[in-house]
């Protein structure tokens, strides 16, 4: 295959790839159907006592490494922790107006998850039951999911050099299939965590707000945030005081729709750009080489022309030998 044919094929492939990928990205916002009967969890922070039983249960059911400090050590809640590859849920303590309030952090299982939208190999999938699950066999380690998540949940296992993967809460999806509760919900001694259908949890949360004036903020966090999440929160103080990100009601895929489409086009036409630059560079070198050859030929031709001898040139006109 000659260079021209190769560049033509690469250029055509790039354009086709760009157009095809752009169409997929443009339609990406419609790839997450609304599951009206999906399940979720309501976390009522007014009932949470920061006992860390949920952390211990999560550790056990997911076979995670034991932490350096035992789960009975409640002092760790004073340090603002994030989820990690080895801690899929954590409880933090927030002191608001002299009152301690505890909040549990884990994957919120968005209805239109940004992590799944950003994952081009579909390692993340939103299930009909509600959980957002992860397939490590498909993961390529790009970590786009980590950058896309507005709640900073997916965690990368940087300590595993041979098979680094992404880890996060799965809402105990395998247990749900067996008809069991998520481990954290089952272990909660104060019923601060309630499992059920998302639509029923929203009704329960609204009833608690109405039946207890002044006890709760009139805001169910997760009802509309990022297009809605399957993990919902009630709080006696503004949710921002408990470290909840101030995110829009628009879903992640909707926010990144145009940007991802542009990236797809740029990524798709790179063979055309590089191919054109390569061709121009080669053409320039060819022109320079040709000019050099022509210059050498002209110089050689000039040297081969006959010249009169100095003796002949010195003779005056009309003189005889």
């Amino acid at each position: 295959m000659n260079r021209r044919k190769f560049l033509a094929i690469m250029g055509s492939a790039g354009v086709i790839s760009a157009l095809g990928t752009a169409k997929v990205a443009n339609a990406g916002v419609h790839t997450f159907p609304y599951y009206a009967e999906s399940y979720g969890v309501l976390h009522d922070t007014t009932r949470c006592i920061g006992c860390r039983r949920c952390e211990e249960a999560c550790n056990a059911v997911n076979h995670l490494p034991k932490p350096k400090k035992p789960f009975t050590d409640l002092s760790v809640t004073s340090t603002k922790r994030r989820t990690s590859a080895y801690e899929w849920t954590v409880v933090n303590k927030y002191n608001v107006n002299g009152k301690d309030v505890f909040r549990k952090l884990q994957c919120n299982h968005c209805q239109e998850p940004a992590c799944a939208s950003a994952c081009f190999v579909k390692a993340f999938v939103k299930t009909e039951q509600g959980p957002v699950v992860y397939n490590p066999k498909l993961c390529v380690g790009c970590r786009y999911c980590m950058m896309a998540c507005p709640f900073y949940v997916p965690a990368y296992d940087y300590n595993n050099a041979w098979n680094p993967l992404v880890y996060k809460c799965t809402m105990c999806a395998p247990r749900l299939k067996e008809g069991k509760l998520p481990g954290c919900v089952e272990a909660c001694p104060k019923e601060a965590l309630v499992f059920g259908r998302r639509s029923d949890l929203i009704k329960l949360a609204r009833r608690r707000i109405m039946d207890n004036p002044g006890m709760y903020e009139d805001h169910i966090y997760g009802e509309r945030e990022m297009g809605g999440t399957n993990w919902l929160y009630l709080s006696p103080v503004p949710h921002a005081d408990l470290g909840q990100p101030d995110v829009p009601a628009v879903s992640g895929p909707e926010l990144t729709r145009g940007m991802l489409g542009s990236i797809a086009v740029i990524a798709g036409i790179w063979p055309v750009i590089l191919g054109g630059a390569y061709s121009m560079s080669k053409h320039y070198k060819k022109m320079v080489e040709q000019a050099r050859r022509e210059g050498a030929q002209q110089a050689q031709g000039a040297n081969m022309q006959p010249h009169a001898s100095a003796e002949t040139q010195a003779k005056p006109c009309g003189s005889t030998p």
Side-chain angles (χ1 to χ4, degrees), residues 247-316:
V247 295
V250 181
S251 68
E254 180 68 29
L255 286 174
T256 58
R257 179 179 180 180
M259 181 182 67
L260 290 177
S262 300
I263 292 174
V265 172
I266 294 171
I269 64 174
W270 72 265
V272 181
I273 298 173
L274 294 182
Y278 175 81
S279 179
M280 290 177 64
S281 176
K282 285 293 186 180
H283 181 65
Y284 174 75
K285 290 181 179 179
K286 184 177 180 180
M287 290 177 62
V288 171
E289 188 63 29
Q290 183 176 354
R292 287 177 178 174
R293 286 199 302 267
E294 291 177 354
Q297 290 175 358
Q298 291 176 1
Q300 184 178 7
N303 292 332
M304 293 179 64
Q305 290 180 3
H307 291 82
S309 64
E311 180 180 351
T312 304
Q313 292 178 355
K315 290 181 180 181

Side-chain angles (χ1 to χ4, degrees), residues 26-223:
N26 193 42
V29 70
H30 304 297
T31 59
F32 300 104
Y34 174 70
Y35 298 120
E37 299 299 312
S38 64
Y39 291 95
V41 177
L42 172 64
H43 177 32
D44 190 336
T45 62
T46 66
R47 302 187 179 194
C48 185
I49 59 175
C51 64
R52 298 185 67 200
R53 297 281 185 84
C54 55
E55 290 187 39
E56 185 175 17
C58 178
N59 180 277
V61 300
N62 292 297
H63 309 290
L64 302 176
K66 297 296 180 182
K68 295 180 179 179
K69 293 184 178 181
F71 292 107
T72 54
D73 185 353
L74 305 185
S75 65
V76 299
T77 61
S78 298
T79 302
K80 300 303 179 288
R81 298 174 294 157
R82 286 179 54 184
T83 57
S84 70
Y86 312 111
E87 296 173 303
W88 296 1
T89 186
V90 296
V91 176
N92 288 338
K93 180 172 66 175
Y94 301 84
N95 188 277
V96 184
N97 299 325
K99 180 181 179 180
D100 290 337
V101 184
F102 298 92
R103 179 172 75 91
K104 178 180 179 294
L105 289 76
Q106 73 296 304
C107 175
N108 285 329
H109 300 278
C110 302
Q111 294 194 299
E112 296 184 40
C115 59
S117 177
C119 183
F120 58 89
V121 295
K122 298 188 183 301
F124 280 98
V125 176
K126 176 69 175 180
T127 65
E128 187 173 353
Q129 279 192 302
V132 177
V133 297
Y134 168 72
N135 186 348
K137 295 181 179 179
L138 298 178
C139 183
V140 297
C142 68
R143 290 169 284 176
Y144 287 171
C145 56
M146 296 174 63
M147 293 184 283
C149 178
F151 303 107
Y152 314 104
V153 169
Y156 197 65
D157 185 5
Y158 291 97
N159 295 325
N160 192 335
W162 298 107
N163 188 31
L165 299 174
V166 177
Y167 294 92
K168 73 171 192 66
C169 159
T170 64
M171 203 194 293
C172 289
R175 289 173 61 88
L176 297 187
K177 291 181 179 180
E178 298 174 1
K180 299 178 181 179
L181 291 172
C184 59
V185 176
E186 189 175 70
C188 183
K190 294 295 183 179
E191 296 184 356
L193 302 173
V194 182
F195 177 81
R197 297 195 185 278
R198 184 178 185 274
S199 55
D200 293 335
L201 294 177
I202 292 176
K203 294 177 183 177
L204 173 62
R206 287 177 179 162
R207 191 180 313 122
R208 288 186 181 181
I209 293 173
M210 293 179 62
D211 293 345
N212 300 276
M215 179 180 290
Y216 299 98
E217 282 287 305
D218 189 9
H219 178 192
I220 306 171
Y221 191 91
E223 182 180 9

